[in-house]
Amino acid sequence: MSERLQPGDTAPAFTLPDADGTEVSLADHKGRKTIVYFYPAALTPGCTKQACDFTDNLDVLASAGYDVIGVSPDEPAKLAKFRDKENLKVTLVGDPDKKVIEAYGAYGEKKNYGKTYMGVIRSTVVVDEDGKVERALYNVRAAGHVAKIIKDLGI
């Protein structure tokens, strides 16, 4: 199980391919606050709800100075299918080897229907303009999470 991030930690740098195979780096967002959220799999009900919520609130977040990046272990082709099917506007990047997911503490033991297994823990990390962790939220719920972030950030 990977170490969870704490406020004040330096957010781990990353460069990952987006749905079109274009490299996206956290460094590209320096000078802006960035919400990096981790979800288990594209095209699943909870992850779709969460991605649609971020898309629906993207203008509100952007006008408050926040960029949003969704990270999953999916390949770019699956991310493109997800984006196109759900008309998503949020930036989605793939981390098939889970190195970034692990670096952010978003991979570990999960329980579902009485079974224990290793997987992506639905998590959200808010990174400030200087690349420091402002907030790190783990085991979040897909439904209502974006509204809670907006409220907690005072947007």
Side-chain angles (χ1 to χ4, degrees):
M1 191 140 130
S2 38
E3 194 69 28
R4 292 190 169 181
L5 297 176
Q6 300 295 323
D9 289 350
T10 297
F14 64 82
T15 300
L16 293 169
D18 70 6
D20 299 315
T22 305
E23 304 261 291
V24 173
S25 296
L26 182 60
D28 299 339
H29 299 270
K30 196 155 178 72
R32 284 185 60 82
K33 292 185 178 203
T34 307
I35 295 170
V36 184
Y37 80 95
F38 299 87
Y39 62 99
L43 300 166
T44 58
C47 298
T48 298
K49 170 84 178 117
Q50 190 175 23
C52 288
D53 281 354
F54 271 117
T55 293
D56 292 346
N57 289 285
L58 210 51
D59 289 343
V60 171
L61 291 163
S63 65
Y66 290 88
D67 295 335
V68 180
I69 302 171
V71 183
S72 73
D74 298 305
E75 296 288 345
K78 186 173 180 187
L79 295 175
K81 187 176 176 184
F82 185 36
R83 177 196 61 202
D84 298 345
K85 180 177 187 277
E86 301 299 337
N87 201 18
L88 300 172
K89 302 288 182 246
V90 65
T91 300
L92 301 173
V93 297
D95 182 21
D97 62 13
K98 301 178 193 72
K99 282 189 175 24
V100 174
I101 294 168
E102 287 182 14
Y104 275 77
Y107 189 82
E109 197 173 271
K110 296 173 68 167
K111 286 183 170 59
N112 199 8
Y113 299 113
K115 289 192 164 91
T116 301
Y117 60 97
M118 296 299 284
V120 177
I121 298 164
R122 194 179 304 278
S123 309
T124 302
V125 176
V126 180
V127 181
D128 72 14
E129 301 90 339
D130 300 318
K132 297 279 187 207
V133 174
E134 190 176 294
R135 292 167 191 259
L137 310 163
Y138 295 94
N139 293 309
V140 302
R141 297 238 171 261
H145 179 60
V146 176
K148 183 179 178 345
I149 289 173
I150 289 170
K151 182 176 179 270
D152 289 352
L153 295 174
I155 300 171

